[in-house]
Amino acid sequence: MKPWWIVVRKEVLESLRDRRTLLSALVMAPLFGPLMFSFSMQTMLKRGLDEQDKPLQVAVMGKEHAPNLVHWLESQGLEDVPAPKDVASIPAAVRDAKPRLVLVIGPDYGKRFRAAKAAGVKVYVDSSDQDSQRDFRRLDQLLQNYSSQTSALRLAARGVDPGIAQPVMLDEIDVSTPASRAQSLLAILSYFLLFSTLIGGMYVAIDATAGERERGSLEPLVSLPVSREALVAGKFVATMAFSGVSLVLTLASFAISLRFVPLESIGMSANLGPKVLTGVFLSLLPFVPLAAALLTLVASFARSFREAQSWMTGALLVPTLPIMVAAMTGMKPTALLMAVPSLSQHFLIARLLRDEAVPLTDGLLSAGGSLLLTGVLLVFVVRLWRREKLLG
Amino acid sequence: MIHVTGLAKRFGTVEAVRDVSFTAPDGRITGLLGPNGAGKSTTLRLLYGALTPDRGEARVDGLLAGPEHTEARRQLGVLPHGAGLYPHLTARENIRYFGELHGMSGATLEKRIDELVAMLELGEAANRKTQGFSQGQKVKVGIARALVHSPRNLILDEPTNGLDVMAIRSLREVLRGLRAAGHCILFSSHVMQEVAALCDDVVIIAGGRVIASGTPEQLREQAGTTTLEDAFVKLLGSETAEVQS
């Protein structure tokens, strides 16, 4: 047996006996992520659907000045709720979301409306609250509809073609498919998968380096006639094994739990068939050695288990950075970006979920970029292991 | 046989070892004696290849020692400070892991482990995880692990630390047995009685230098005292005086 393989077997055996390692690699990441994801998605979807059917609750002040408008709004699903007692108390009430929206119609509304002048109304809204914002958009849409209907009638009454007031007419043609609509929601899925790949190997990496140093077992280990490269290789491969298993379990767990999310109800399909699953797995496969190399490097810096743990929280965020930057700047996949680890995997997964064809070159670029970085990180790990400071 | 000449090692501004030379022959127990921080552990770590010396050299059976020299480490069994076992592995598994890394396998390895378990009287504990072991049991497993590949030379760093009287007695028996079998045994200690009770040769280290060496009798003669303890204190005292002047 080669020394590195002996090290792998020992690290795996030891980790399998450590409840904490086992829990994080084989239970926490694969179960927690997908469950949380599916659950939050389910509640989000349900809420979205419920809100559509709910009446729009608005407190209307000055109803008597615009009975026609109020009547029309009520016919469109607006529910009039009790208004605050005076104008001064409106802001505080709206901030408390009691009610979320207040529509104030002034006493000169009627006069201006009849004179065909722009008649103003005020809407109080707390834009820092998501629910209020959504309600406001609905009310805004209603008011605009009323406005354009009225203007069309006025123009027609004056013998003018209403089209003259509408130089450009927008006609939206939605070409999204159910799968592509789901994609925006499933975009975070790639992050969950990258994350659990890292979590899976985390404790093995810490145990095999910082933990070994803390227990004082590293000293006898380096007194053996085994090269430091062989030791690093063994610890790296053991970490990789746990990361890989965690990834597979998480994928399987997603495939199962997403079936219970009512994506179809909003015209989306989860599209996690065997073919897509295989594609996602293959896309993420080159990330496994990269994750293991990153974890081993970070753990090799730390002197103790605790120190390693706090370093790790930072390491877990590293793969999110490229994805976040790309999302904020709206980057599209290019050859250069396809070589960026974690981002390229994110792009590949997004395309697979959209049911788009993925060019082989993109897959190879992504794998190549990840493996190259793995090599670079491993060179640094071996250098760290050759330093005398390693032993403290 | 272990041979050290003009060894020096500094960590930053601290000169841990300035000039250490000695020979530990086969079939004898050599004790590195000195106060805490004298450079005993650093000397041993230079020998088993955890560190690279700044000056001088260490040889094991004539082979140069150092992190890059794996051949010298084949001839060595090492029990470092605090044993350093894997708590989730059983005593046997701990020993087996090191045996395998020394290139042993199969029936030869298992037979050797049985021998060591019997020799060190580990008994049933051999099949238990080392997590809850007493310090004495841990040291025994550490020694078994160091001896698994039957090395000619054995290095022990403060092996009696934290051991009770019975454990120390049985450790002495083990070391005497190994000496009788012709092994070269080098161990460090800051406990005078330990060294007096066990060693054929004593190397006294202070401030990173060898200040005296020889058999306990020779050291007593050199210092003109009746006990080794008095000799140790006297020799150390002259060293401190020298440094101060």
Side-chain angles (χ1 to χ4, degrees):
Chain A
M1 265 190 297
K2 296 271 183 220
W4 68 267
W5 180 242
I6 297 169
V7 176
V8 172
R9 285 194 332 168
K10 175 256 168 189
E11 297 299 346
V12 170
L13 175 68
E14 214 184 1
S15 298
L16 287 178
R17 286 193 188 157
D18 190 355
R19 205 170 297 159
R20 181 180 44 195
T21 312
L22 219 54
L23 265 176
S24 78
L26 309 181
V27 183
M28 277 292 279
L31 273 186
F32 193 66
L35 271 183
M36 210 174 77
F37 182 78
S38 304
F39 182 75
S40 60
M41 202 132 139
Q42 194 160 15
T43 43
M44 203 168 82
L45 288 178
K46 255 182 110 171
R47 214 166 120 197
L49 288 174
D50 290 351
E51 292 288 343
Q52 298 270 306
D53 307 330
K54 263 192 195 162
L56 176 65
Q57 292 188 327
V58 180
V60 186
M61 285 173 86
K63 257 177 274 194
E64 62 280 11
H65 305 304
N68 279 335
L69 172 64
V70 175
H71 186 71
W72 185 84
L73 285 173
E74 277 170 353
S75 75
Q76 297 294 313
L78 180 136
E79 185 187 315
D80 190 13
V81 294
K85 53 183 185 304
D86 51 43
V87 177
S89 60
I90 293 176
V94 169
R95 269 195 289 273
D96 288 343
K98 288 174 194 164
R100 287 194 188 127
L101 296 177
V102 178
L103 175 67
V104 181
I105 304 166
D108 61 343
Y109 178 90
K111 208 170 75 195
R112 292 183 68 87
F113 191 86
R114 277 190 298 277
K117 288 182 178 158
V121 294
K122 284 191 188 117
V123 177
Y124 287 82
V125 60
D126 178 5
S127 71
S128 65
D129 180 60
Q130 289 227 332
D131 291 330
S132 303
Q133 257 191 21
R134 198 196 43 237
D135 280 3
F136 175 71
R137 276 196 298 274
R138 282 178 71 186
L139 179 61
D140 185 35
Q141 192 62 50
L142 288 178
L143 287 169
Q144 278 186 26
N145 287 350
Y146 183 75
S147 189
S148 56
Q149 274 182 27
T150 311
S151 80
L153 285 172
R154 283 177 183 170
L155 288 172
R158 286 162 179 78
V160 181
D161 178 6
I164 204 156
Q166 203 174 14
V168 178
M169 196 166 88
L170 180 77
D171 202 355
E172 186 181 313
I173 301 151
D174 189 355
V175 296
S176 70
T177 63
S180 77
R181 258 169 277 153
Q183 186 267 336
S184 59
L185 280 169
L186 293 172
I188 23 172
L189 186 121
S190 60
Y191 177 62
F192 267 106
L193 290 170
L194 294 172
F195 195 70
S196 71
T197 307
L198 283 163
I199 291 270
M202 184 172 83
Y203 279 112
V204 185
I206 297 181
D207 230 25
T209 53
E212 183 126 44
R213 186 185 329 196
E214 195 174 15
R215 285 192 303 263
S217 54
L218 197 55
E219 189 96 5
L221 193 61
V222 300
S223 79
L224 294 170
V226 177
S227 70
R228 306 264 167 115
E229 286 86 345
L231 294 178
V232 168
K235 284 156 192 302
F236 164 68
V237 173
T239 307
M240 209 160 65
F242 273 82
S243 281
V245 170
S246 182
L247 170 63
V248 172
L249 289 177
T250 310
L251 258 181
S253 162
F254 262 120
I256 295 165
S257 62
L258 274 178
R259 290 183 183 200
F260 298 100
V261 179
L263 284 169
E264 301 74 24
S265 62
I266 48 163
M268 297 179 179
S269 78
N271 191 26
L272 266 179
K275 218 176 119 198
V276 175
L277 269 182
T278 315
V280 172
F281 175 70
L282 289 178
S283 312
L284 283 168
L285 205 53
F287 184 76
V288 175
L290 178 59
L294 177 69
L295 293 169
T296 312
L297 180 68
V298 173
S300 299
F301 267 112
R303 268 169 213 292
S304 66
F305 209 98
R306 269 174 177 278
E307 196 189 331
Q309 267 182 314
S310 49
W311 280 99
M312 282 298 177
T313 34
L316 291 180
L317 292 178
V318 174
T320 53
L321 291 180
I323 299 179
M324 262 169 53
V325 170
M328 282 190 297
T329 56
M331 283 182 202
K332 289 274 167 246
T334 62
L336 191 66
L337 290 181
M338 283 317 289
V340 178
S342 97
L343 181 62
S344 65
Q345 274 95 12
H346 173 71
F347 281 146
L348 288 178
I349 293 170
R351 278 196 208 167
L352 286 166
L353 292 175
R354 265 195 311 234
D355 245 353
E356 286 178 17
V358 174
L360 187 64
T361 45
D362 279 2
L364 290 178
L365 264 174
S366 164
S370 300
L371 293 178
L372 187 73
L373 186 59
T374 306
V376 172
L377 292 182
L378 284 180
V379 168
F380 277 110
V381 177
V382 169
R383 279 202 190 165
L384 274 180
W385 275 66
R386 285 201 176 165
R387 292 198 319 176
E388 290 180 350
K389 266 196 185 160
L390 175 81
L391 298 165
Chain B
M1 189 178 77
I2 291 170
H3 188 66
V4 171
T5 40
L7 220 49
K9 179 72 187 175
R10 69 155 66 230
F11 300 110
T13 56
V14 181
E15 273 188 273
V17 173
R18 293 161 199 262
D19 181 14
V20 170
S21 305
F22 65 86
T23 300
D26 288 347
R28 288 177 83 83
I29 299 177
T30 307
L32 275 186
L33 182 63
N36 289 328
K40 302 186 296 290
S41 281
T42 306
T43 304
L44 297 184
R45 295 176 74 196
L46 286 163
L47 260 168
Y48 60 74
L51 305 173
T52 314
D54 294 337
R55 285 195 311 277
E57 59 173 44
R59 284 182 183 271
V60 180
D61 287 348
L63 297 163
L64 202 59
E68 303 303 319
H69 303 93
T70 49
E71 274 312 305
R73 295 209 288 275
R74 280 188 201 288
Q75 320 300 325
L76 271 183
V78 180
L79 175 74
H81 205 81
L85 303 177
Y86 299 105
H88 291 297
L89 300 186
T90 67
R92 271 180 195 277
E93 285 165 345
N94 266 287
I95 303 168
R96 189 177 298 128
Y97 181 43
F98 271 45
E100 286 175 344
L101 286 174
H102 269 293
M104 303 169 72
S105 61
T108 331
L109 177 57
E110 296 311 313
K111 198 168 149 265
R112 178 65 183 154
I113 296 172
D114 287 339
E115 270 173 35
L116 291 165
V117 166
M119 181 179 104
L120 292 156
E121 295 166 343
L122 281 166
E124 271 309 298
N127 299 317
R128 288 209 309 265
K129 288 188 193 176
T130 63
Q131 207 147 29
F133 275 24
S134 70
Q135 192 57 34
Q137 283 174 312
K138 281 185 187 164
V139 169
K140 278 184 174 180
V141 177
I143 291 180
R145 196 178 60 178
L147 290 173
V148 65
H149 58 300
S150 314
R152 294 275 297 160
N153 309 279
L154 183 60
I155 292 180
L156 309 111
D157 194 0
E158 308 258 3
T160 55
N161 259 11
L163 297 196
D164 60 31
V165 183
M166 291 312 289
I168 290 178
R169 280 177 73 93
S170 81
L171 174 64
R172 277 188 204 145
E173 284 313 306
V174 170
L175 293 183
R176 288 198 182 108
L178 291 168
R179 171 177 62 184
H183 289 276
C184 160
I185 298 160
L186 174 65
F187 86 90
S188 73
S189 178
H190 61 274
V191 184
M192 172 62 50
Q193 292 80 354
E194 245 351 284
V195 175
L198 200 60
C199 292
D200 305 306
D201 298 300
V202 180
V203 178
I204 299 181
I205 296 187
R209 285 196 179 83
V210 174
I211 54 169
S213 63
T215 63
E217 294 76 34
Q218 287 170 337
L219 290 175
R220 281 200 297 270
E221 260 172 48
Q222 195 183 331
T225 57
T226 49
T227 67
L228 188 60
E229 188 169 329
D230 290 341
F232 179 57
V233 171
K234 199 164 171 192
L235 289 165
L236 270 183
S238 63
E239 161 71 11
T240 2
E242 226 169 81
V243 171
Q244 276 162 0
S245 68

